[in-house]
Structures are given as structure tokens and as C-alpha cells.
Amino acid sequence: MREPWETSKHEWLLWIDDDILITNPEKGLNTLITKYGEKKHLIIAGDAWKHKNVPINSGIFLINNSPWARSFLKRVWHEGGLRGYVKRGQSLLEQQTMTDLIRENLTDRSKVQILPLGNQLQSFFRSDHYDDPESTKWKPGDFAAHLTGIPNTLRVNLVNELINQGDIPQRKPDINKLGSK
């Protein structure tokens, strides 16, 4: 992401982890950019497990192609190693590092919009053993299903379940229209 981003002519970029499935590409992202993008450079979802001391979920976020945003992500990648998250084998490396930087730095905090819990950017689609708040659970019509914290075999089964239920588009979305609404 680093090199292409620095030469990109796009104003906003969407970061998306490999455990997220876009389920409603028609929903569009411009509403979020229009609402928050004038003053914020990072639009990120609140986490379902906010009570676990991590207020954000970095699986999917919109980030402005600005000097501050590029600097912020460079600090996230650098600081995660310095803080020992890599050595401890934490899979939430960037999520915890982002949280730390946002808490510690007023400038960073002022540039970040943490979305309220709900389905504006993502919602969670996982097995029943998670005690996610109802407002964070995936429903048909949500932009994206985040299948986080589960083994790959179960993740594949859940994706197949979504496809078989007909709750996601069977056609390839037009990537140019993802942000059009």
C-alpha cells in the first residue's frame, strides 16, 4: 500500500482486510466522506468489543491521501514493532498501535473519526460464541461483513452460507461505483 499510495491521484483510499466481504457495494462510501471528510483524515469503525479497551476496528477504514495520513500509517507500522506487539505475536498489531497513537496524540485524535457502533462501514458475521452487541451484527443490506477471529475453515463456510442465502450480489461489482453513493 505504501508505494502506490504516495503516487496515487485518489483523494481517499479504502483499506480492507482479507477477512471482510463486501456484501452491498451499492451502499457506497461517499456519504461517510461527505459527512466527515472535510475535517477528518481517517474514518474508522468502532469495535464490537469496545469494552475490551480497544475502541476501533482496523479491518476496514477510509483514509485520506494526505501527508498526515501517510505519516500516521508509517508511525503505526514503525511503532507496532517498537511497542513489542510484533514480538508478542499479537494479530491486532495495527489496531492496538492505532488506538495507542490516537489516545496519546491530540493532533492524531483530531484527525480521526471513530464511527459509532453499527453497520456504516462494517458489521460482524461470525459464529455464535461471540457476544457482539446486536447493532454490530451483519444484516442483509450492510456494506461489509467482517468475519474476524475465526478459523479459516469456518470463515469459508460462513462465506458460502452468505452466498447460498442469496444475501450478497452474485455479480462482480463495478469498482468505480463503490464510492459513488
Side-chain angles (χ1 to χ4, degrees):
M1 177 174 181
R2 294 177 202 179
E3 291 79 22
W5 187 18
E6 291 181 5
T7 60
S8 174
K9 292 180 173 94
H10 296 287
E11 184 177 352
W12 285 88
L13 299 166
L14 177 68
W15 173 276
I16 185 167
D17 282 356
D18 66 355
D19 61 353
I20 294 179
L21 180 66
I22 302 295
T23 56
N24 184 3
E26 303 301 322
K27 195 164 186 174
L29 300 171
N30 275 349
T31 303
L32 294 173
I33 293 169
T34 300
K35 186 172 184 178
Y36 302 111
E38 190 173 314
K39 296 182 181 177
K40 305 296 182 178
H41 291 249
L42 173 63
I43 302 170
I44 193 164
D47 194 67
W49 288 17
K50 205 173 192 175
H51 62 281
K52 300 282 187 190
N53 203 28
V54 180
I56 62 171
N57 186 288
S58 62
I60 184 171
F61 56 86
L62 285 161
I63 192 155
N64 188 283
N65 190 0
S66 67
W68 173 86
R70 287 191 296 274
S71 169
F72 181 74
L73 284 186
K74 284 178 186 175
R75 287 182 288 132
V76 167
W77 294 319
H78 179 72
E79 289 286 322
L82 292 179
R83 293 171 189 247
Y85 298 134
V86 175
K87 292 178 191 156
R88 292 194 292 255
Q90 292 184 353
S91 64
L92 302 177
L93 156 72
E94 76 284 344
Q95 188 162 301
Q96 185 61 57
T97 306
M98 283 179 162
T99 297
D100 291 350
L101 293 174
I102 292 165
R103 284 185 176 146
E104 295 166 4
N105 186 303
L106 289 174
T107 300
D108 290 341
R109 196 173 316 144
S110 73
K111 304 278 188 186
V112 176
Q113 177 63 49
I114 301 173
L115 298 172
L117 291 181
N119 60 14
Q120 295 176 336
L121 195 54
Q122 69 171 353
S123 46
F124 295 96
F125 190 81
R126 5 187 212 203
S127 54
D128 293 334
H129 71 280
Y130 284 90
D131 189 24
D132 295 333
E134 199 60 36
S135 66
T136 68
K137 292 181 180 177
W138 183 87
K139 295 170 278 322
D142 287 355
F143 177 71
H146 196 167
L147 295 93
T148 180
I150 54 179
N152 282 335
T153 53
L154 179 56
R155 187 174 292 135
V156 168
N157 290 339
L158 290 172
V159 167
N160 286 331
E161 182 180 321
L162 283 171
I163 291 169
N164 290 334
Q165 289 176 6
D167 290 330
I168 61 170
Q170 295 298 309
R171 59 178 169 62
K172 184 178 175 185
D174 182 349
I175 198 72
N176 295 316
K177 291 185 179 178
L178 278 178
S180 65
K181 290 188 180 176

